[in-house]
């Protein structure tokens, strides 16, 4: 009993001593993390970001899941569909996808789409200068019939080109409009010309097979020409020769700033330019800068982008490819960003100091698109309305759930505004909390107003071990089945 009484307090003393040592060690470790090693903890997180996101067994698949009859031949077609795609590279890309779907809906023959390059890009490039036409036609041969131009027709002993009836389709027109109004016109005139053709088909369509057709066009049929692909590949390989690289779509350009109405950070002369541009191109509207910023409508400045990256744990050795037009305000805004992240490249220099080929006009935007697609991490600094950023996010999701970091400008705005007023305590911690509360490119449900082109999950994906039958992957021989149907129809035609 005496021995046990002595051992009890001794045991308690040892426990207290051990607890004190552990507590001291934890406090010491915490202070080291807080003062010296903030980025040690984040190193592992940053390393994870360079990898693709967790797919949870999902993979891209846009092949048909149900019976998909071959397209009509010339005699079965309801007529010729001509479209003129307007806007920038990716807006036109979406329009091409929509044109293919519309041709399928109407059982029509698609004439190779026109690209409105001159008004936007001030160059003469067309579809044949940007995209691989033979690949486009071959890839879609199970879906629609495509011709290079409207054919000539014989009438009253003379041969002349069939004239297309011009229509201005309603914005975001439903499938029913094409099955009624447009179909009536194409049957009557033999050909219709839809212009302008941007956002002229509703993005949400109940038929998943039509949505998968959109993906087949966007991610398989629309391949840039060989010279553009080579330039893009060369740039990506050069950037990755020393490790990972990220791409940033820095949307700090005249048109977007004028559209957003965020003028107060600019000089009086710069504000005059922005206001003039806005009056010429956008509806008149009164903006209050602070209100616009707090609701996330102002594009991030280059410095803010740098501060976000630094807060997340990226250091000044990080290689960054910058996809952007001319930065409004120039060196004054880029200087702090370059001070934080000096290893910046763009398609004009690529670290060589020599201009690259295929980097001007629409082709230059195509190179930017491909390098951003091939990068390990992509950061859109202004994802709405930005067709380039939105489409890339969807393409990277389809490409294998590649990491995309989308800053929540609304959540970040008060943090940056506090910093500007001198309240810097906890700044980086607050930025991290916002930035790490995201999907980073993992599969997630599409919620309005998220575009189908930004997130085609689940229609254009399947699950290897599906929990629901609707998510099963199509059979591996689906292309063989489509080819067999295609050939059988050709034999039937020739036999008849």
């Amino acid at each position: 009993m005496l021995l046990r009484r002595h051992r009890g307090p001794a045991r308690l003393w040892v426990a207290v001593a051990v607890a004190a040592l552990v507590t001291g060690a934890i406090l010491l470790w915490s202070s080291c993390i807080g003062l010296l090693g903030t980025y040690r903890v984040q190193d592992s997180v940053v390393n994870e970001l360079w990898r693709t996101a967790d797919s949870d067994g999902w993979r891209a698949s846009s092949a048909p899941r149900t019976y998909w009859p071959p397209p009509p031949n010339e005699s079965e077609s309801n007529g010729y569909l001509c479209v003129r795609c307007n806007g920038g590279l990716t807006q036109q890309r979406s329009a091409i996808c929509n044109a293919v779907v519309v041709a399928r809906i109407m059982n029509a023959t698609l004439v190779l789409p026109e690209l409105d390059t001159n008004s936007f890009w001030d160059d003469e490039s067309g579809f044949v200068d940007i995209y691989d036409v033979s690949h486009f036609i071959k890839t879609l041969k199970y879906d629609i019939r495509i011709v290079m131009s409207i054919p000539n027709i014989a009438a009253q002993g003379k041969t002349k080109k069939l004239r297309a009836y011009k229509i201005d389709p309603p914005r975001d027109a439903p499938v029913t409009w094409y099955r009624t109004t447009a179909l009536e016109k194409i049957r009557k005139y033999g050909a219709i010309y839809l212009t302008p053709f941007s956002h002229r088909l509703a993005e949400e369509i109940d038929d998943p097979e039509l949505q998968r057709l959109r993906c087949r066009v966007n991610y398989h049929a629309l391949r840039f020409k060989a010279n553009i692909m080579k330039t893009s590949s060369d740039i990506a390989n050069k950037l990755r020769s020393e490790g990972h690289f990220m791409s940033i779509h820095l949307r700090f350009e005249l048109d977007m700033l004028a559209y957003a109405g965020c003028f107060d950070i600019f000089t009086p002369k710069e504000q005059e330019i922005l206001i003039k541009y806005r009056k010429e191109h956008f509806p008149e509207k009164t903006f209050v800068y602070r209100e616009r910023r707090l609701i996330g409508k102002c594009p991030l400045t280059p410095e803010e982008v740098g501060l976000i990256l630094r807060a997340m744990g990226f250091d000044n050795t990080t290689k960054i490819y910058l996809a952007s037009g001319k930065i409004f305000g120039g060196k004054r805004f880029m200087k702090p960003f370059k001070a934080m992240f000096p290893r910046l490249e763009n398609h004009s220099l690529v670290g060589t100091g020599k201009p690259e080929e295929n980097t001007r006009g629409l082709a230059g935007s195509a190179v930017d698109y491909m390098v951003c697609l091939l990068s390990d991490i992509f950061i859109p600094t202004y994802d709405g309305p930005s067709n380039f950023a939105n489409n890339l996010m969807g393409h990277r999701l389809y490409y294998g759930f590649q990491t995309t970091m989308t800053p929540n400008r609304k959540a970040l705005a008060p943090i940056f505004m506090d910093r500007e007023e001198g309240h810097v305590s906890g700044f980086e911690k607050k930025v991290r909390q916002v930035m790490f509360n995201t999907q980073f490119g993992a599969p997630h449900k599409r919620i309005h107003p998220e575009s189908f082109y930004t997130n085609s999950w689940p229609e254009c994906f399947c699950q290897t071990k599906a929990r629901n039958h609707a998510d099963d992957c199509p059979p591996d021989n689906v292309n063989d089945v489509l080819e067999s149907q295609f050939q059988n129809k050709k034999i039937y035609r020739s036999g008849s």
Side-chain angles (χ1 to χ4, degrees):
M1 287 289 294
L2 183 63
L3 181 61
R4 285 177 184 172
R5 285 175 185 172
H6 281 290
R7 288 177 65 185
R11 197 177 281 164
L12 178 62
W13 182 86
V14 170
V16 170
V18 169
L21 286 169
V22 171
T23 302
I26 291 172
L27 289 172
L28 179 63
W29 172 248
S30 298
S31 65
C32 288
I33 292 295
L35 297 174
L36 302 173
T38 303
Y39 298 115
R40 288 181 188 170
V41 173
Q42 290 166 232
D43 278 347
S44 60
V45 179
V46 167
N47 288 338
E48 285 298 315
L49 290 175
W50 290 118
R51 303 185 182 98
T52 56
D54 183 13
S55 68
D56 192 27
W58 290 91
R59 65 175 177 85
S61 174
S62 56
R65 314 283 170 85
T66 57
Y67 174 64
W68 191 251
N73 60 20
E74 187 175 1
S75 62
E76 297 168 333
S77 173
N78 282 319
Y80 293 90
L81 173 65
C82 309
V83 299
R84 183 171 180 266
C85 307
N86 57 304
L89 174 78
T90 43
Q91 182 169 302
Q92 291 183 12
R93 190 181 182 98
S94 300
I96 295 167
C97 298
N98 289 345
V100 171
V101 174
V102 166
R104 179 77 188 192
I105 291 169
M106 298 173 64
N107 204 35
T109 298
L110 179 67
V111 178
L112 197 69
E114 296 177 19
L115 303 187
D116 175 21
T117 54
N118 201 43
S119 63
F120 191 90
W121 296 100
D122 194 27
D123 70 20
E124 299 296 331
S125 301
F127 194 108
V128 296
D129 301 301
I130 302 299
Y131 293 107
D132 184 335
V133 175
S134 60
H135 176 80
F136 179 74
I137 295 173
K138 181 181 178 183
T139 304
L140 297 173
K141 73 175 185 177
Y142 305 127
D143 304 303
I144 62 168
R145 181 170 174 263
I146 303 172
V147 295
M148 297 297 292
S149 61
I150 295 180
N152 293 330
I153 58 169
Q156 298 176 345
K158 296 181 180 180
T159 301
K160 62 178 182 179
K161 180 157 279 191
L162 180 64
R163 188 173 181 180
Y165 180 78
K166 186 178 176 181
I167 307 175
D168 181 359
R171 187 179 175 89
D172 299 320
V175 170
T176 52
W177 185 85
Y178 289 100
R179 285 180 174 156
T180 54
T181 304
L183 185 59
E184 179 188 346
K185 298 298 183 186
I186 201 171
R187 283 174 172 167
K188 181 178 180 179
Y189 295 99
I192 57 173
Y193 181 39
L194 305 184
T195 178
F197 195 73
S198 171
H199 307 293
R200 291 307 194 267
L201 174 65
E203 287 197 5
E204 293 302 328
I205 299 175
D206 291 336
D207 187 344
E209 290 296 6
L210 292 179
Q211 296 290 58
R212 283 190 272 273
L213 175 55
R214 268 177 165 154
C215 291
R216 288 200 292 282
V217 183
N218 205 8
Y219 308 133
H220 297 280
L222 283 175
R223 186 171 71 188
F224 295 119
K225 291 199 73 171
N227 58 339
I228 294 173
M229 296 294 280
K230 184 180 185 307
T231 300
S232 307
S233 179
D234 288 347
I235 292 173
N237 289 339
K238 184 173 180 60
L239 290 167
R240 194 175 281 113
S241 62
E242 299 175 22
H244 301 291
F245 80 96
M246 72 168 59
S247 60
I248 299 177
H249 186 224
L250 192 55
R251 201 69 167 94
F252 201 74
E253 300 146 344
L254 172 62
D255 62 332
M256 187 52 66
L257 291 164
Y259 172 85
C262 302
F263 303 154
D264 287 29
I265 60 174
F266 297 98
T267 65
K269 186 176 180 180
E270 289 168 343
Q271 288 188 32
E272 285 180 18
I273 296 170
L274 289 166
I275 292 168
K276 182 176 182 290
Y277 188 94
R278 174 157 189 94
K279 285 181 178 178
E280 292 173 353
H281 295 87
F282 305 112
E284 189 173 345
K285 195 173 182 180
T286 301
F287 292 113
V288 178
Y289 173 68
R290 182 177 178 82
E291 292 177 1
R292 296 290 288 173
R293 197 172 179 194
L294 283 172
I295 60 173
K297 295 298 183 181
C298 291
L300 294 170
T301 69
E303 181 180 17
E304 287 170 344
V305 176
L307 290 170
I308 290 169
L309 294 178
R310 194 167 67 179
M312 294 183 73
F314 294 97
D315 61 29
N316 61 4
T317 65
T318 305
K319 291 191 293 299
I320 298 174
Y321 179 84
L322 214 55
S324 70
K326 185 178 180 181
I327 302 298
F328 190 73
K331 294 180 180 179
R332 178 163 57 92
F333 286 97
M334 284 301 297
K335 188 175 180 180
F337 184 30
K338 286 184 176 180
M340 287 183 274
F341 295 93
R343 301 188 68 182
L344 293 176
E345 303 283 2
N346 60 41
H347 67 211
S348 297
L349 297 176
V350 204
T352 64
K354 299 178 181 178
E356 288 286 325
E357 295 179 359
N358 315 311
T359 56
R360 295 180 180 86
L362 198 61
S365 185
V367 170
D368 275 347
Y369 185 94
M370 282 306 303
V371 176
C372 289
L373 178 62
L374 295 169
S375 64
D376 300 293
I377 295 174
F378 172 61
I379 304 175
T381 62
Y382 197 73
D383 54 318
S386 174
N387 293 294
F388 186 94
N390 289 332
N391 284 31
L392 259 169
M393 286 191 280
H395 206 153
R396 289 175 64 84
L397 192 75
Y398 191 88
Y399 207 64
F401 305 103
Q402 295 175 295
T403 300
T404 298
M405 302 192 308
T406 309
N408 184 333
R409 295 184 305 280
K410 185 176 180 180
L412 288 167
I415 302 171
F416 281 119
M417 292 167 84
D418 281 348
R419 181 180 181 275
E420 289 159 11
E421 294 171 4
H423 308 301
V424 296
S425 178
F427 168 77
E428 291 197 340
K429 181 180 178 182
K430 292 173 185 175
V431 170
R432 286 196 295 275
Q433 286 174 342
V434 172
M435 289 303 299
F436 286 117
N437 185 27
T438 181
Q439 295 285 344
F440 291 125
H444 60 281
K445 186 177 180 180
R446 183 172 67 255
I447 300 174
H448 182 79
E450 191 175 29
S451 163
F452 176 81
Y453 290 102
T454 302
N455 180 10
S456 59
W457 186 88
E459 294 96 330
C460 295
F461 293 84
C462 66
Q463 204 170 25
T464 50
K465 294 182 180 179
R467 300 176 184 88
N468 300 314
H469 177 67
D471 299 326
D472 283 337
C473 291
D476 293 336
N477 69 334
V478 64
N479 282 335
D480 295 336
V481 172
L482 292 171
E483 178 65 24
S484 176
Q485 291 173 181
F486 187 78
Q487 293 299 332
N488 287 340
K489 186 166 185 177
K490 285 175 68 176
I491 293 170
Y492 172 77
R493 288 169 185 161
S494 62
S496 61

